[in-house]
Structures are given as C-alpha cells and as structure tokens.
Amino acid sequence: MSDSQTSSSDSDSASVAAIDQNVRRNQRSGSGGQTLAPDLPRRWHDVFWLGIFLIHLIGLGLALAVLGLNRFEKSDRFNIDRFTTGSSGNNRGLTEDYWPMYALAGGVGTVLGWTWLLLLGSRANQMMKISVHILTTYLAVLSVLCFWCEQFFWGVAFAIGAALQFLYVISVIDRLPFTMLVLQKAVKMVWSLPEVMRVAYAFMLVMLLWMGIWSFGAAGVVAASMEEGGRWWLLVVLSVSLFWTGAVLCNTVHVIVSGMVFLVLIHGGREAASMPPNPLVKSLRYAVTTSFGSICYGSLFTAAIRTLRWEIRGLRSKIGRNECLLCCVDFMFHLVETLVRFFNKYAFVQIAVYGKSFNHSARDAWELFQSTGVEAIVAYDCSGAVLLMGTLLSGLITGTCSGVWTHIKWSSDSVTMIGSTAMLMGMVLVGVAMVVVESAVTSIYICYAEDPLLIHRWDAEFFNQLSETLHQRLQYRSDRAREVLTHSRFDNHVQETVSV
C-alpha cells in the first residue's frame, strides 16, 4: 500500500497506514492473529430481550393455537365472534380451507431455500445476477396483474417497488462487479465448510416447523367472520412476530457461521493443527445460550435500519446539486448512520468471536471499520442488498403461488391476505439460506479490519483486490471532499463579491 495515493486526506492516509502497520506487525510476529479470539468463559448478555422473546414466543404460540382451533372443523368453536364487530358474512370459512395455501407457501419457500444451498458452490453468482435483474421485471408484472384484478392499492405498491428497485440498481451498477467478487469469495469459504451448510438445513427445518403452527393461526384469522380491517390488523401483528422470529433464527445461523469462518481464517484452514476441537458445537452452544439474548435484541432493528441505509445511500448518490433535497437527505443519512453505529450486522461477528453484548459489539465493529478505513469498502459493497434481492424474489414467487391458488379456489378478497403473508413466509425460509453467505462476507470484512494478513494468507489475490479497492474508495472520498470544499469557497467568494 502506498501512502502517496491518499496524501490528499490526512484521515484517509492514517486509515491506510493503520492497515499497513497491522500487516507488518503480524508479519514480524508470525502469529497470524491467532490471539484474536481468546477462549474465555462467557457471560450472559441482553437477558431482558431473551426473556421478552421467549414470552412472546410462548404467548403467540397459545394465541395461534386458539385462533386456528376456533374455526378448525367447526365454525366459531370458542365463541370468539361475539367479541368482534361488523362480522362479514361472505367470509365465513374454516381453518382447513386456507391452511393448504400456507402449506404450499412453506413447501415452495423450502424448495427455493434448499435450491440456493445446493447451487451455492456452482451457480450462486449466476443466481444472484438473475435476482438483481429479474426482480424489477417481476415486480412490474405483479403490478400489472394486480391492476387487472382491480387490486389498485397493491398494483400501485408493486409499481412503486419496481421503480425503486430499478433506480437502486442503476445507482449501484458500478459497484456490482466488486460485489460479485466478494460474494464469490464468500461462497468459496462457505462451500469449504459443509458443516455450516448442515446447520442451515437444520435451522430451515426448525423454521418450517414453527411456520406450521404460525400458518395454522393465520389460516384461522383469514377464515374468521370479523370485518376485513380487523383481520388485516391481526395478520399484521402475526407478520411482525414472524419477521422477528425469522430474524432471530437467521441471526443465530449468522453467529454460528461467523464463528466458524473466523476460526478458519485465524488458524489458516479447516484442517490446521491449531484448530480447536468441535468448533461448530462450541459456536452453536454460544449462539443458543450466552449470546442468544443479544441475537434477539439485534434482530429487532438491524434489518430495517440496514435496508433504509441502502436506499438513502443510493438516493444520495444521484441527487446532484439540488441543495434543498440534498439537505433533507443528508439529515436522514446522518440520522441513519448514527443508528447503524448501534445496530449493524457486523455486531454478530463480534458476538460470535468475543461474546459481547449487542450494542457493545456493534460499536466496536463500527469503530474498527472507521479507525482502519475499511468502512469505505463496506459502504461500497452491495452484497447484502444483492442477497436481499434474491430473498425478495423468492418471497414474491412463494406469495404468487399461494395467491394464484387462492384466487382459483376461493374468493378474491382473501388473495391479498394469503399472498402477502405467504410472501413473508417464503422470504424468511430463503433468508435462512442466504444468511450463510452474508455471514461469510461480514466475517471477511471484520478479519480484514482486525488483521489483513489473515485474508492475505487465505487468498493473496483477493487481498490485493480488497486493498486496491480500499485505496480507490479513500481516494474518491478525498477528491469528493476537496470538490465540496472548493465549491463552498467559490460560493462564499461570489456572495462576498456581490455584497461588495
């Protein structure tokens, strides 16, 4: 790395120098960073959120059982309808009328998730490229179909989604080659660890079993005779719960895979003599015991804040010189960046390796990126967005299958309810498969920031590509800062001249 390439920015030069110094220090010591993950007793963290999650899970399980049984083989078994107002007589049905549609959603989502895992080693990049380019078209087609079926709200929603997806892809099109490179290396890492693939399969099965219970209650809600607004509110509450539960399971897999990847990089390979015995079992034990509260807490906010950050970054890069709009977007950008400091996916790697609390892990990870300059390529990389596109596409396919069957078999007023909730089921199931790759990506960046020599020892060519991209991004930021400063000084000079 050459300091002359970033001499225009003292902070950027310091960041690169810190990485260079870290590499040289580890080269002299020959340790390869093997002391980064001390095997110390771990304390329980974020126990409050663990309790909240378990209480929510037990309470929701009971509520789902009641909602499903209330209309299973007998209409209004528990006489719940007396508590509802405005019963809609045209939607009196039974739970078993709609439960098969959710069974189809679970089957399609499982098949798509397993397909992702099976094709991870040979066709993952092609599937990710397809997801990026097909999602816009699929959203547009769904919009047309919704308008044709006179579902104007959903038609407009899908049309807006297609437009936002198209604009986002256009705004990051120059980043996709680097993103695909990082994803390719992450797939290479994951494919060399078949045990983490088995973990993903196992957690997908656990998620599918929970969805059997969840869909039983959801089918009971759809079949209920209450007014449509009441059914929608109940489904929204159930969907939020499913999203949180799915995020917890996905992030549990995230912590397990991150711990494994970090150990492999630290010890120089899966078969290294220094590799501790039963690393997967140890990582799994930490994830479901001492670190589970932190996983429950982080799963509440991380996904939503990360998605908002992607959208604002894409919009911010395409605004141009509209000062008013730029000011508003910059305010939102800095607000989201502050939240990201406390809620980011890289915290799960710190949780896996060091067993810290979630907020402590998130701050440490972000400060590590800021101090080393690695945040520049983390912000440039779109791997998380690409994986989310694949998850969204799979969810839309799942929802379409269940929605079409519902439209053929039953009245159209249940199509949107079943289709939207089935889409969420498909997204959660496929997300368990996608998180395996995302965990490898986050672990690679954490390792590169902690000790670049770990990446150099694993893949020297990839290390050189990462370092080159880091220099380019730091240089770009320096040039951009200089341009903004020059423009500001010019505007001030013009104002002073006019006032004189």
Side-chain angles (χ1 to χ4, degrees), residues 192-329:
S192 66
L193 301 171
E195 55 266 57
V196 302
M197 308 293 286
R198 292 193 288 270
V199 167
Y201 282 121
F203 272 81
M204 194 178 296
L205 180 60
V206 171
M207 191 69 241
L208 189 62
L209 292 174
W210 173 250
M211 281 185 175
I213 301 172
W214 184 90
S215 60
F216 182 68
V221 172
V222 175
S225 61
M226 69 181 70
E227 61 181 1
E228 187 173 358
R231 285 182 290 151
W232 268 113
W233 276 111
L234 273 175
L235 287 176
V236 167
V237 171
L238 295 182
S239 297
V240 171
S241 169
L242 179 63
F243 179 82
W244 188 21
T245 306
V248 168
L249 285 183
C250 285
N251 288 324
T252 303
V253 176
H254 189 353
V255 169
I256 295 169
V257 176
S258 298
M260 280 294 298
V261 171
F262 208 95
L263 282 175
V264 168
L265 290 174
I266 287 175
H267 294 277
R270 179 68 181 84
E271 305 301 327
S274 58
M275 194 77 171
N278 300 321
L280 180 66
V281 175
K282 183 179 294 185
S283 186
L284 175 63
R285 186 176 72 249
Y286 290 150
V288 298
T289 54
T290 55
S291 298
F292 195 63
S294 299
I295 293 172
C296 296
Y297 174 46
S299 300
L300 267 175
F301 310 103
T302 304
I305 293 173
R306 182 178 50 176
T307 304
L308 184 61
R309 184 173 185 250
W310 290 333
E311 295 295 339
I312 290 179
R313 277 187 177 274
L315 179 63
R316 190 169 179 257
S317 64
K318 296 297 178 183
I319 286 178
R321 297 188 180 277
N322 187 324
E323 298 293 340
C324 180
L325 185 58
L326 184 62
C327 181
C328 296
V329 173

Side-chain angles (χ1 to χ4, degrees), residues 365-405:
W366 207 245
E367 288 171 5
L368 175 66
F369 286 153
Q370 293 283 347
S371 63
T372 59
V374 174
E375 192 272 336
I377 53 174
V378 168
Y380 185 68
D381 174 38
C382 301
S383 56
V386 170
L387 293 172
L388 178 61
M389 290 175 197
T391 304
L392 280 173
L393 180 60
S394 301
L396 288 169
I397 293 172
T398 304
T400 302
C401 292
S402 295
V404 168
W405 189 17

